Amino acid sequence: MPDVILGEFEQTVLLAVLHAGTSAYGIPVWREIESRAERKASLAAVYKTLDRLEQKGYVRSRVGEPSAERGGRARRVYAVSAAGMRALRGSLGALQRMTRGLEDLLSPS
């Protein structure tokens, strides 16, 4: 069975969810992307991608505890599912196989 190929932003969002850990709701995921990937992204794009990944079964979400700072509203917290981990490993593996042998071309000058 061929590897699932995720889009680059889908990969980035899944990795950001893993980095954010138990506090993986929209803003921490967005912050991980902006700081680690050094990439500008809109919060709306992050939420849209999280929704798409959830529809594909690659992340699951739960409603967290309400917080006073959000006016008593709860946050939706995300976690990468087992299927998401398989898809991420497969997609990153395909990318690594494609770069094999190109190290000299791809290394910083």
Side-chain angles (χ1 to χ4, degrees):
M1 178 173 158
D3 291 331
V4 171
I5 303 299
L6 298 168
E8 184 262 338
F9 196 64
E10 289 177 321
Q11 290 176 21
T12 301
V13 169
L14 286 172
L15 291 167
V17 169
L18 291 172
H19 276 294
T22 58
S23 61
Y25 60 93
I27 291 175
V29 171
W30 171 73
R31 284 184 182 141
E32 289 289 344
I33 292 167
E34 293 225 330
S35 66
R36 289 180 186 273
E38 297 177 358
R39 174 183 176 162
K40 292 290 181 197
S42 73
L43 192 53
V46 170
Y47 277 116
K48 184 173 183 172
T49 303
L50 286 167
D51 287 343
R52 186 172 58 249
L53 290 169
E54 189 166 26
Q55 289 172 3
K56 292 179 178 183
Y58 296 156
V59 297
R60 60 186 185 284
S61 68
R62 64 175 175 76
V63 177
E65 295 298 317
S67 68
E69 68 186 24
R70 292 177 43 87
R73 294 186 336 225
R75 292 183 173 114
R76 181 160 297 279
V77 181
Y78 296 87
V80 178
S81 67
M85 289 300 293
R86 284 191 300 275
L88 185 57
R89 285 185 191 112
S91 191
L92 292 174
L95 189 60
Q96 289 170 343
R97 291 188 297 277
M98 287 301 299
T99 60
R100 202 170 294 138
L102 301 173
E103 294 82 6
D104 290 342
L105 289 172
L106 298 174
S107 64
S109 302

